[in-house]
Amino acid sequence: MEIEDEAWTKAEPEAEALVWRAAQAVLDAHEDVEGKGIVILLADDDSVQALNRDFRHKDYATNVLSFPAPQDPTANPEGQIGDIALAYGVCAREAAQQGKTLAHHLQHLVAHGVLHLLGYDHEGDEEAEAMEALEREILAGLDVPDPYADER
């Protein structure tokens, strides 16, 4: 884990522990990834915007980006699952707008990002429902309220 933007720990001193709890909760629910690692970057909006621009050709900051690692063992000898980057400003604004604590929103987005690394997506309605159900279940185990409760 790398904390590039200290705004994360100023706003949420337990940020690192919250991130690891959320990531581990997702991994614990998926036995087939035992012993594999994830790199998580808590960054600023500019860094995430640059990653989004360079790798997804979308020139704006977004809350969370997931980059799955190559499956080929020669390209990924450590057996990493992938990398996740979160933008402080976007996440903090979203949490405030949605009336959530930064801690809860951070854990939701980490769980969301790890699920993306594991191949889950939300492009279609069925995929979205399945992914959101997993997020709800994982977050409930962390005592994080349903992040989709207001969307129903």
Side-chain angles (χ1 to χ4, degrees), residues 95-117:
Q97 290 166 352
Q98 296 170 19
K100 300 173 184 176
T101 66
L102 180 59
H104 288 164
H105 195 49
L106 174 60
Q107 287 190 294
H108 172 218
L109 293 173
V110 168
H112 184 88
V114 175
L115 286 170
H116 273 307
L117 294 179

Side-chain angles (χ1 to χ4, degrees), residues 2 16 31 36 40 46-47 68 70 73 79 81 83 97 101 104 109 113 116-117 135 137 140 142 145 147:
E2 184 175 336
E16 187 170 358
E31 296 172 5
K36 296 188 177 193
I40 300 174
D46 291 341
S47 295
I81 296 169
D83 302 339
Q97 290 166 352
T101 66
H104 288 164
L109 293 173
H116 273 307
L117 294 179
E135 289 174 27
E137 181 181 329
L142 297 169

Side-chain angles (χ1 to χ4, degrees), residues 22-132:
Q24 192 61 55
V26 176
L27 297 177
D28 287 348
H30 293 80
E31 296 172 5
D32 57 326
V33 295
E34 189 173 324
K36 296 188 177 193
I38 297 171
V39 175
I40 300 174
L41 173 66
L42 297 182
D44 61 19
D45 289 5
D46 291 341
S47 295
V48 172
Q49 180 174 351
L51 289 169
N52 203 20
R53 181 187 60 241
D54 295 348
F55 291 97
R56 297 180 66 229
H57 309 292
K58 298 180 180 186
D59 195 12
Y60 57 87
T62 189
N63 52 17
V64 61
L65 292 172
S66 299
F67 300 98
Q71 297 298 309
D72 176 6
T74 58
N76 183 15
E78 299 88 17
Q80 294 286 330
I81 296 169
D83 302 339
I84 297 171
L86 295 108
Y88 174 76
V90 174
C91 294
R93 282 188 302 278
E94 287 177 348
Q97 290 166 352
Q98 296 170 19
K100 300 173 184 176
T101 66
L102 180 59
H104 288 164
H105 195 49
L106 174 60
Q107 287 190 294
H108 172 218
L109 293 173
V110 168
H112 184 88
V114 175
L115 286 170
H116 273 307
L117 294 179
L118 297 175
Y120 291 90
D121 214 332
H122 46 82
E123 293 299 317
D125 288 343
E126 277 187 41
E127 289 177 318
E129 287 177 26
M131 188 172 177
E132 289 173 11

